[in-house]
Amino acid sequence: QVLLVESGGGLVTAGGSLRLSCAASGRRISMSVMGWFRQAPEKEREFVAAISWSGMSTYYADSVKGRFTISRDNAKNMVFLQMNDLKPEDTAVYYCAASPQGWSPAPASRRRYEYWGQGTQVTVSS
């Protein structure tokens, strides 16, 4: 129904930058809100960023606010996560997710997202 494929992960040194991409296909009504999550070894999956259909509303985890930027290009069915000033604690598998629900009230909730990509590894060395 909805397919999400992440790319752009890799190995960088602290202070570096990466740009993650998520290519989406399927029903557009299932992609009202798009989000990025991450999961480190032995940790639960945590919210990173979310964006509304129009792109006018965004929300970020406190740990990445000011460093990461989420964006989307609906004409190309793409979602992006620009990551700057990367830190070792950013090391994780990053997942793209899609939700058919509207923006309010909880864009950070894992349970609202019905479709997930396979993940892309981001490793930040000291």
Side-chain angles (χ1 to χ4, degrees):
Q1 190 172 32
V2 173
L3 178 64
L4 306 174
V5 180
E6 304 96 332
S7 62
L11 174 65
V12 297
T13 56
S17 297
L18 283 174
R19 187 190 189 219
L20 304 184
S21 298
C22 175
S25 62
R27 296 191 302 153
R28 295 167 71 89
I29 61 173
S30 297
M31 309 173 195
S32 177
V33 174
M34 299 294 294
W36 286 96
F37 290 75
R38 65 187 183 187
Q39 187 167 20
E42 305 297 324
K43 303 289 186 179
E44 68 178 18
R45 192 167 299 186
E46 66 174 349
F47 170 79
V48 176
I51 187 168
S52 64
W53 173 258
S54 68
M56 298 301 296
S57 296
T58 58
Y59 186 70
Y60 298 91
D62 288 342
S63 59
V64 307
K65 190 173 184 179
R67 299 188 297 122
F68 291 10
T69 302
I70 188 172
S71 61
R72 67 191 298 170
D73 184 342
N74 291 336
K76 296 182 178 180
N77 295 320
M78 297 286 291
V79 184
F80 307 97
L81 185 68
Q82 178 66 46
M83 305 185 294
N84 298 325
D85 191 24
L86 284 162
K87 304 175 180 180
E89 52 262 43
D90 295 319
T91 295
V93 176
Y94 283 70
Y95 298 90
C96 178
S99 172
Q101 298 179 339
W103 183 247
S104 298
S109 174
R110 292 190 302 273
R111 302 297 175 85
R112 67 167 290 157
Y113 295 90
E114 298 185 2
Y115 305 97
W116 297 81
Q118 82 289 344
T120 185
Q121 177 71 48
V122 172
T123 303
V124 184
S125 65
S126 300

